[in-house]
Amino acid sequence: MLETSARLLKLLSLLQVRRDWTGADLAARLGVDVRTVRRDVDKLRNLGYPVNAAPGVAGGYQLGAGAELPPLLLDDDEAVAVAVGLRTAANGTVSGIEETSVRALAKLEQVLPSRLRRRVNALQEHTVALTPAVATVDPRTLTTIAGACRDHQRLRFPYAGREGDTKRHVEPLGLAHTGRRWYLVAWDVDKADWRTFRVDRIPEEPALGARFTPREPPAEDLASYVSRQLSVAPYTYQAELVMHAPLDEVALRTSRTSVHLEPLDDTRTLLTVGSPSLEELGLWIGLIGIDFDVREPPELAEHLRVLGERFLNAASSVRRPGGTPPPR
């Protein structure tokens, strides 16, 4: 049987891992009886942890949210992950969070055991962040949007998009992060269609509106939908290519924000991409370095034929070391 202090830490860890526990389940995991579990729960409450309890057969215990944040219980890997995440956030795309992340990191590192502090410092010292200039977003805007997605509340906000400055009234579905930018996927009430919005183009915190009944979302998952909207929808030319390689290999040679990928079978991948010109599209496809077939559009296939003949003619004009041109 665990000592009382160790048992309380174990109980707290269990409550953090799962949303609901029955008294019997907790007793079995701790090796005590249900009465001891009740006493231990009372001790946690006295320490400031808001543990909710529901009576009856379907009842149980749940760690709730309190007015004050009690200490978190983290294992070694979790503590390292949080420390690394805070250091990364200090150089992230959410504006205003850098200083907060540094303060939280300072508090965490004060209580880290020396063995864990060495692991975190080693990773920090031997890692260089190449941070490009990216548009940052207000964390309040992100949290407001995320809460509206969760609670199914409409949002109103000004938006600086391709159509100029507009007012948008939307039913939010979810947020997607590409590593450089945040995007909101939402049903545009006025346009009666799904739309993708860059969050950094929302200049102020959105206003919350009435609750709504969620609509049937786009057929593909959120990440795939955003990928398609970014890589295909905005462009004059939209191409479909059958790549003669599995999806994982094609994904390594492309970016999810520039192409949309779907597996056709174990050896072929459907690549969809957009471009403002056939010339740019043809050169980009050649740089992927994978054999392919053109599905759409027909004019791309004709452009590639002309481009291929031009390259062949250029290669044929180069003389060999002996002075004779290569055979045509």
Side-chain angles (χ1 to χ4, degrees):
M1 183 181 297
L2 295 173
E3 295 294 334
T4 302
S5 57
R7 194 174 64 243
L8 287 178
L9 289 175
K10 179 66 174 177
L11 173 59
L12 181 57
S13 178
L14 292 172
L15 290 171
Q16 289 178 335
V17 168
R18 206 168 80 188
R19 181 174 177 82
D20 296 293
W21 288 90
T22 66
D25 285 342
L26 288 173
R29 296 291 290 269
L30 296 171
V32 297
D33 56 32
V34 175
R35 182 178 300 177
T36 302
V37 170
R38 285 199 296 267
R39 288 198 298 266
D40 287 348
V41 166
D42 288 337
K43 291 175 183 177
L44 287 180
R45 289 170 178 158
N46 291 333
L47 292 172
Y49 292 91
V51 182
N52 303 322
V57 177
Y61 296 98
Q62 179 186 99
L63 187 63
E68 297 182 356
L69 181 66
L72 292 175
L73 182 65
L74 302 174
D75 63 26
D76 286 5
D77 290 338
E78 290 170 340
V80 171
V82 171
V84 172
L86 288 170
R87 290 190 175 185
T88 303
N91 296 314
T93 58
V94 182
S95 66
I97 205 172
E98 300 91 344
E99 183 181 349
T100 306
S101 300
V102 170
R103 290 201 309 267
L105 179 61
K107 292 179 181 179
L108 178 61
E109 290 191 335
Q110 282 181 348
V111 297
L112 281 178
S114 58
R115 68 181 189 282
L116 298 185
R117 194 178 301 115
R118 284 196 298 270
R119 287 173 58 183
V120 174
N121 290 338
L123 181 60
Q124 179 72 14
E125 290 171 4
H126 298 282
T127 303
V128 177
L130 302 179
T131 34
V134 295
T136 58
V137 299
D138 190 322
R140 292 175 301 177
T141 297
L142 282 179
T143 54
T144 298
I145 293 174
C149 294
R150 178 197 62 208
D151 300 332
H152 308 306
Q153 281 187 274
R154 287 184 172 183
L155 294 172
R156 292 182 182 274
F157 52 83
Y159 187 68
R162 292 192 302 271
E163 303 170 7
D165 294 340
T166 58
K167 298 286 187 179
R168 297 304 181 100
H169 184 203
V170 305
E171 297 175 354
L173 174 64
L175 286 163
H177 187 223
T178 66
R180 292 174 56 87
R181 293 192 176 99
W182 290 88
Y183 292 89
L184 164 66
V185 177
W187 177 266
D188 192 309
V189 175
D190 297 324
K191 297 184 180 296
D193 196 8
W194 290 103
R195 289 288 191 271
T196 302
F197 303 94
R198 272 178 53 177
V199 179
D200 61 280
R201 290 180 176 172
I202 301 175
E204 60 189 54
E205 186 177 347
L208 293 172
R211 293 184 181 274
F212 63 89
T213 301
R215 300 175 183 272
E216 186 70 24
E220 52 200 336
D221 63 81
L222 191 68
S224 296
Y225 178 80
V226 173
S227 173
R228 184 183 293 277
Q229 294 302 304
L230 299 182
S231 62
V232 180
Y235 297 103
T236 305
Y237 295 96
Q238 300 179 6
E240 288 188 1
L241 311 171
V242 177
M243 310 301 292
H244 294 209
L247 186 142
D248 289 346
E249 181 179 344
V250 180
L252 287 174
R253 300 178 182 227
T254 57
S255 166
R256 194 164 189 179
T257 59
S258 61
V259 301
H260 180 73
L261 303 177
E262 298 176 39
L264 295 175
D265 51 42
D266 292 340
T267 60
R268 299 181 307 152
T269 302
L270 179 63
L271 182 151
T272 308
V273 64
S275 176
S277 71
L278 290 175
E279 291 77 11
E280 180 180 312
L281 189 56
L283 291 173
W284 179 84
I285 294 170
L287 291 174
I288 298 178
I290 296 176
D291 292 341
F292 63 94
D293 299 322
V294 177
R295 276 194 181 179
E296 295 288 346
E299 54 265 38
L300 174 61
E302 175 61 20
H303 172 71
L304 291 176
R305 184 188 64 78
V306 173
L307 189 64
E309 289 181 354
R310 185 176 300 133
F311 285 164
L312 283 174
N313 290 335
S316 299
S317 67
V318 178
R319 292 185 175 273
R320 291 181 174 179
T324 59
R328 299 179 69 86

